[in-house]
Amino acid sequence: MCNFCGCNKAATPMDNRREDEAGTVHQHATAHPRMVEIEQDLLSKNNDYAKQNRQALQSSGIFAVNLISSPGSGKTTLLTEIIRQLKGQHNIYVIEGDQQTSLDASRIRNTGVKAVQVNTGKACHLDAHIVGHACADLDMQDNGFLFIENVGNLICPAGFDLGEAHKIVILSVTEGEDKPLKYPEVFHAAGLMIITKTDLLPYLNFDLHRCCQYAKQINPDIEIIQLSATSGENIKQFSDWLITAREQY
């Protein structure tokens, strides 16, 4: 029985594959395929699992963040840089969510930290149930950071609590500055917006000021960090934010 969600890992009609830290692939259930028809029930069950995840993480002193963005925003590149900033002083664990492949988990493991790959198949987001089992697979020691890199998608992940301390929405300057207006739910739910790839600003028609205004319009309390994982600009600002947020949690 899982310490996080208490279930027996029985499969249901929609399975996904999960690769553990050693590279072994497991089968596990994700959200029911008729999600539209049973949305209320599904979210209620998910919230129950999320509550159990949160209690287990808090009791172990694990500070978890849920990274949400469109595909290609630079989540994994940013994550590898943050790991390099933090891993000498903190335990770090990663859950990688993608529809297919274990490429991102391999990149994370190359930094020397534990990572579990979750392949969701047709599902467009992680849910609290599967995250609980991924946490168990990581065999985390007390105290540290858990980074949950969600499936590349600004819509579905926004509505699913995974038991994290904070949602962090990531937006690259190669995307439109109007993303906060087009996908308001995730920006409303996030405590932090990270604008990535700022080293490309001289070559793009991206209105940085307007993007920040739009985000504040949706969520007046959202914090904003502008950075470049390539140049290293403001990477430390993000690592400092994580440390402070953990202390205040």
Side-chain angles (χ1 to χ4, degrees), residues 130-144:
I130 191 63
V131 165
H133 290 310
C135 287
D137 287 344
L138 281 167
D139 191 25
M140 295 181 286
Q141 299 178 19
D142 287 353
N143 301 313

Side-chain angles (χ1 to χ4, degrees), residues 56-57 59-63 90-93 114 135 138-146 246:
L57 291 166
S59 67
S60 299
I62 300 294
F63 182 78
H90 305 275
N91 295 320
I92 299 175
Y93 309 94
K114 287 185 177 181
C135 287
L138 281 167
D139 191 25
M140 295 181 286
Q141 299 178 19
D142 287 353
N143 301 313
F145 290 93
L146 171 64
R246 178 184 171 184

Side-chain angles (χ1 to χ4, degrees), residues 3-234:
N3 291 331
F4 279 82
C5 72
C7 84
N8 61 7
K9 298 192 178 184
T12 63
M14 181 182 287
D15 287 339
N16 64 26
R17 295 178 298 163
R18 187 176 70 258
E19 181 187 336
D20 64 20
E21 200 275 331
T24 305
V25 174
H26 303 274
Q27 294 286 334
H28 200 278
T30 105
H32 194 286
R34 298 173 65 194
M35 178 178 169
V36 174
E37 296 180 23
I38 60 166
E39 182 176 0
Q40 244 184 342
D41 184 50
L42 174 62
L43 289 175
S44 176
K45 290 179 180 178
N46 181 82
N47 289 341
D48 288 341
Y49 287 125
K51 181 179 180 180
Q52 293 174 51
N53 289 351
R54 185 168 286 110
Q55 290 172 343
L57 291 166
Q58 287 179 333
S59 67
S60 299
I62 300 294
F63 182 78
V65 293
N66 181 4
L67 306 178
I68 302 173
S69 80
S70 300
S73 68
K75 288 195 303 296
T76 309
T77 300
L78 173 59
L79 188 49
T80 58
E81 292 304 312
I82 284 297
I83 288 169
R84 292 188 180 99
Q85 289 270 332
L86 296 175
K87 74 174 185 178
Q89 301 174 335
H90 305 275
N91 295 320
I92 299 175
Y93 309 94
V94 177
I95 297 171
E96 282 289 342
D98 282 301
Q99 288 189 310
Q100 297 294 337
T101 83
S102 59
L103 297 175
D104 286 350
S106 295
R107 289 176 62 187
I108 296 300
R109 290 176 193 140
N110 286 340
T111 68
V113 304
K114 287 185 177 181
V116 167
Q117 180 74 52
V118 176
N119 288 146
T120 60
K122 294 182 179 180
C124 56
H125 60 87
L126 296 175
D127 62 34
H129 192 200
I130 191 63
V131 165
H133 290 310
C135 287
D137 287 344
L138 281 167
D139 191 25
M140 295 181 286
Q141 299 178 19
D142 287 353
N143 301 313
F145 290 93
L146 171 64
F147 294 93
I148 305 168
E149 185 175 344
N150 221 310
V151 179
N153 184 348
L154 285 176
I155 303 173
C156 301
F160 282 79
D161 183 4
L162 305 180
E164 73 273 14
H166 288 281
K167 285 181 173 65
I168 298 175
V169 61
I170 299 173
L171 171 65
S172 74
V173 300
T174 56
E175 305 170 63
E177 64 267 6
D178 57 356
K179 282 289 178 70
L181 299 182
K182 289 183 174 180
Y183 305 98
E185 185 175 356
V186 67
F187 289 88
H188 185 267
L192 173 67
M193 176 176 77
I194 297 178
I195 301 176
T196 61
K197 305 185 183 182
T198 54
D199 55 301
L200 298 179
L201 279 171
Y203 313 102
L204 300 168
N205 185 24
F206 181 90
D207 193 324
L208 189 60
H209 177 69
R210 183 170 292 178
C211 181
C212 294
Q213 280 187 321
Y214 288 154
K216 288 287 189 178
Q217 178 180 327
I218 299 300
N219 180 358
D221 297 323
I222 197 168
E223 297 183 63
I224 301 172
I225 296 175
Q226 305 165 25
L227 57 77
S228 167
T230 299
S231 70
E233 178 188 13
N234 291 337

